[in-house]
Amino acid sequence: MSDLNQGSRPRIIAVANQKGGVGKTTTAINLAAALVESGHRVMIVDIDPQGNASTGLGFTPDRREATTYDLLLDDASLFAVVQPTDIAGLWLAPATTDLSSADIELVSHEQRSFLLKRALRDPEVADFDLDYILIDCPPSLNLLTVNAMVAADSVLVPLQSEFFALEGLSQLMMTIRDVRATANPDLRIEGVVLTMYDGRNRLSQQVQADARDNLGELVFQTVVPRNVRVSEAPSFAMPVLSYDSLSKGSQAYRALAQEIVGRGQATTI
């Protein structure tokens, strides 16, 4: 076990943005791989019905016998759901399209916003000896995302370096505040990471300037570049750090992992 988690529970980070295509799943997978590479033990909890984090780690549907749907709605144990990945020190709680109906099914559940927290704060989690749990959220502010925020210590927000990038961010921040006010008073912002950044593009430069002007220290110093290796890696069912360890994308996620470990305490908003 690494020193980080000596005598403490794992740090739980929800990777969330209601906009699709911002690099959310890519960030969850590659940040997890970078944390593992630096000596930490990590679990990814996939609660996106698209199951892209599961696919991106090589888990074809036939390998997902028990999933986060079972964890949330069928009282399955974490041990029944979580599987080791091909990367030593990285585990996955996979998802399937079964989660698409979860929002409707959760509405009638008395503890509908607390089911993931109950699962991830169960004493059996200690047996995995984890330092970090990363929750890959769906691209919406639905009950699954709220479950993630209630369970998490902090929220990491990938922000695409494109026009309208900051649109909708205020809604996400309001949701975080609402969750803090009603269900998780300790929830914090881990930070905002700019993704798909092209330093040669004036628009990317402007988005970065606007983000730093508006959000200040919430924005990580690390920016994740638009990099073909990052885009190719999921089709080979591996993180970019495994696919091309020397690529700019790999270097960026290593730097992001160092920032997150170094920050320690997330920021209040």
Side-chain angles (χ1 to χ4, degrees):
M1 180 171 64
S2 72
D3 291 339
L4 173 69
N5 197 34
Q6 194 73 40
S8 65
R9 65 172 180 81
R11 189 165 149 198
I12 304 175
I13 302 174
V15 184
N17 190 326
Q18 75 268 31
K19 293 185 71 172
V22 300
K24 176 180 55 62
T25 297
T26 299
T27 294
I29 290 173
N30 290 300
L31 174 59
L35 288 167
V36 168
E37 187 180 82
S38 62
H40 301 291
R41 295 166 62 88
V42 183
M43 179 187 294
I44 293 177
V45 177
D46 189 354
I47 60 165
D48 185 347
Q50 297 174 86
N52 289 337
S54 305
T55 303
L57 287 169
F59 282 73
T60 53
D62 59 293
R63 289 186 64 186
R64 307 175 206 178
E65 294 181 8
T67 68
T68 48
Y69 175 93
D70 304 297
L71 189 69
L72 291 170
L73 290 159
D74 285 343
D75 291 323
S77 72
L78 203 61
F79 273 101
V81 173
V82 173
Q83 299 185 53
T85 70
D86 292 337
I87 300 168
L90 178 60
W91 286 263
L92 172 72
T96 64
T97 53
D98 289 349
L99 274 176
S100 299
S101 64
D103 243 34
I104 297 171
E105 296 179 58
L106 284 169
V107 166
S108 61
H109 200 292
E110 186 177 348
Q111 294 292 309
R112 57 184 174 271
S113 298
F114 294 86
L115 298 177
L116 187 59
K117 178 178 181 177
R118 183 178 67 186
L120 298 185
R121 302 294 177 94
D122 189 284
E124 71 178 3
V125 174
D127 294 338
F128 287 98
D129 202 17
L130 299 168
D131 298 308
Y132 291 91
I133 295 175
L134 304 183
I135 308 171
D136 187 33
C137 298
S140 61
L141 296 177
N142 59 11
L143 272 172
L144 290 171
T145 300
V146 170
N147 259 271
M149 291 183 182
V150 171
D153 299 301
S154 61
V155 180
L156 173 63
V157 184
L159 189 70
Q160 186 179 7
S161 302
E162 296 286 351
F163 195 57
F164 294 138
L166 295 175
E167 279 201 356
L169 198 58
S170 59
Q171 185 182 1
L172 177 63
M173 298 299 187
M174 286 177 61
T175 300
I176 293 170
R177 291 191 183 101
D178 288 346
V179 169
R180 183 186 299 137
T182 59
N184 184 1
D186 296 323
L187 183 65
R188 298 293 182 265
I189 292 286
E190 189 70 36
V192 175
V193 57
L194 291 164
T195 61
M196 306 179 197
Y197 181 81
D198 184 349
R200 303 164 298 178
N201 186 314
R202 289 184 62 185
L203 178 58
S204 283
Q205 295 172 17
Q206 187 60 54
V207 169
Q208 177 173 205
D210 289 348
R212 296 194 188 282
D213 287 346
N214 284 283
L215 302 171
E217 292 183 358
L218 279 180
V219 183
F220 286 100
Q221 290 302 307
T222 300
V223 296
V224 178
R226 187 176 292 279
N227 179 250
V228 67
R229 294 306 199 190
V230 172
S231 302
E232 290 173 349
S235 64
F236 292 88
M238 60 179 67
V240 70
L241 282 83
S242 302
Y243 177 65
D244 186 346
S245 180
L246 299 179
S247 69
K248 291 183 178 179
S250 296
Q251 294 170 21
Y253 280 111
R254 289 188 185 101
L256 178 62
Q258 289 177 0
E259 275 199 78
I260 286 176
V261 172
R263 280 188 175 190
Q265 178 62 49
T267 309
T268 304
I269 60 167

